[in-house]
């Protein structure tokens, strides 16, 4: 394994007072990026994409995808795997800001946004998973705490690869050094004068609300169970007819490139437990590739 302990990756910190919470998250993430891992050897593991593999009858196809973005359900993992080797030879530390993904290269960097509360965090992908139906990413326990869903166990998220940092991590893992002509500079933060204005007195019985710096995104993103997507509308209609016993099933049309597809979905479902229960029934009904989707 090639060590990156002495190679510093400079992160662009958000500016403005409104980004305080995000800044704290990025600073936490910098510890992992600069090579401080639970193993104590400063390694983030080998660069690995991997061959197609099958888990519980489902095939996964790892690939470099620097345009990757997906919305779905995140879960977290911790004590059971703490101190064990990850899929690319790193050591999992549940207190670091890392994640497991089924197909992205390792290591790579992703931004995970909790769609329930708007919290956003950069995480280092260094493991494979999750393999539970309906989950798109597993984050470390510490990441779940910072994203605000450790107690709930799961949440709706948007996952986006950070292309520049992911390419840089690839180069460092393969070569043990920074990319050519990449310079590390540290410039002092600009000092700006801010006019201080007095706040009006609060009316009796009211409270002042102070922004925490998080951005509130749609708190009620619709959740569906998608049984499948069909090129033939009649096949989609038959699947829908079979699934109506499990809830409100519908056929919706979409296009992927030049291909027209007909998606069969149940929902929207008002919570993740109901989505999990519905997914289990749909899979048992003969739709093994069904999954939870968030729109």
């Amino acid at each position: 394994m090639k060590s990156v302990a002495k190679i510093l990756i400079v992160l662009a910190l958000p500016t403005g007072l409104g980004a305080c919470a995000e800044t704290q998250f990025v600073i936490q993430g910098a510890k992992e990026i600069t090579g401080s891992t639970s193993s104590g050897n400063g390694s983030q593991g080998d660069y690995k994409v991997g061959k197609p593999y099958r888990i519980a009858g489902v095939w996964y196809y790892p690939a470099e995808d620097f345009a990757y973005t997906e919305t779905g359900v995140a879960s977290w993992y911790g004590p059971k795997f703490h101190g064990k080797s990850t899929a690319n030879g790193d050591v999992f530390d549940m207190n670091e800001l890392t994640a497991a993904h089924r197909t992205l290269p390792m290591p790579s960097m992703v931004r995970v946004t909790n769609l329930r509360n708007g919290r956003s965090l950069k995480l280092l992908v260094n493991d494979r998973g999750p393999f539970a139906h309906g989950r798109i990413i597993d984050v470390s326990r510490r990441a779940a705490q910072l994203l605000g869903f450790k107690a709930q166990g799961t949440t709706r998220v948007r996952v986006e690869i950070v292309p520049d940092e992911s390419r840089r991590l690839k180069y460092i893992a393969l070569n043990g050094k920074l990319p050519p002509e990449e310079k590390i500079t540290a410039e002092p933060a600009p000092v700006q004068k801010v006019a201080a204005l007095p706040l009006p007195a609060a009316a009796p019985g009211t409270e002042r609300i102070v922004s925490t710096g998080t951005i509130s995104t749609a708190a009620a993103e619709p959740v569906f169970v998608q049984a499948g997507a069909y090129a033939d509308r009649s096949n989609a209609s038959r699947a829908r007819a079979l699934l109506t016993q499990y809830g409100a099933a519908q056929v919706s049309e979409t296009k992927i490139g030049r291909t027209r597809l007909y998606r069969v979905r149940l929902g929207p479902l008002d919570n993740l437990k109901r989505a999990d229960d519905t997914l289990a029934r749909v899979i048992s009904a003969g739709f093994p590739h069904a999954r939870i989707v968030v729109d």
Side-chain angles (χ1 to χ4, degrees), residues 93-115:
D93 185 336
M94 64 183 178
N95 299 309
E96 298 292 345
L97 299 183
T98 60
H101 193 274
R102 294 168 298 184
T103 59
L104 287 177
M106 302 172 289
S108 58
M109 188 68 63
V110 294
R111 177 176 292 280
V112 179
T113 301
N114 186 342
L115 295 175

Side-chain angles (χ1 to χ4, degrees), residues 50-271:
K51 299 179 180 179
Y53 61 98
R54 184 171 63 178
I55 300 289
V58 178
W59 280 95
Y60 300 94
Y61 300 89
E64 287 186 353
D65 182 0
F66 295 116
Y68 168 85
T69 180
E70 186 176 4
T71 13
V73 178
S75 49
W76 66 271
Y77 66 133
K80 183 178 178 181
F81 300 92
H82 183 72
K84 297 184 179 180
S85 294
T86 68
N88 75 329
D90 201 353
V91 176
F92 174 65
D93 185 336
M94 64 183 178
N95 299 309
E96 298 292 345
L97 299 183
T98 60
H101 193 274
R102 294 168 298 184
T103 59
L104 287 177
M106 302 172 289
S108 58
M109 188 68 63
V110 294
R111 177 176 292 280
V112 179
T113 301
N114 186 342
L115 295 175
R116 287 185 177 274
N117 59 23
R119 292 188 182 183
S120 180
L121 186 62
K122 286 183 181 179
L123 301 177
L124 182 77
V125 174
N126 67 349
D127 206 357
R128 284 284 177 248
F131 300 112
H133 284 290
R135 307 291 183 262
I136 64 171
I137 196 167
D138 244 354
V139 307
S140 66
R141 184 185 69 174
R142 180 58 176 155
Q145 289 172 337
L146 292 175
L147 287 169
F149 75 93
K150 177 181 176 292
Q152 295 90 338
T154 58
T155 192
R156 307 168 190 174
V157 296
R158 179 173 60 253
V159 181
E160 305 161 280
I161 195 166
V162 184
D164 291 343
E165 291 182 33
S166 295
R167 289 189 179 96
R168 189 179 300 121
L169 286 169
K170 173 184 177 181
Y171 187 93
I172 293 170
L174 292 175
N175 299 281
K177 60 182 181 180
L178 288 169
E181 300 182 1
E182 183 170 338
K183 297 180 180 180
I184 299 175
T185 59
E187 298 181 0
V191 178
Q192 296 179 343
K193 293 183 178 180
V194 180
L197 297 176
L199 289 173
T206 64
E207 297 178 334
R208 290 176 181 169
I209 300 175
V210 180
S211 170
T212 61
T214 60
I215 300 173
S216 178
T217 57
E221 295 284 328
V223 176
F224 298 86
V225 170
Q226 181 166 307
Y230 303 84
D232 188 322
R233 189 182 186 102
S234 61
N235 288 338
S237 297
R238 281 194 288 271
R240 175 189 172 279
L242 289 171
L243 293 169
T244 51
Q245 60 183 308
Y246 302 115
Q250 55 190 282
V251 175
S252 61
E253 184 178 316
T254 188
K255 288 189 73 174
I256 300 179
R258 297 183 179 180
T259 304
R260 190 183 305 276
L261 294 173
Y262 300 94
R263 303 175 302 190
V264 181
R265 292 181 169 184
L266 287 88
L269 304 168
D270 53 10
N271 59 69

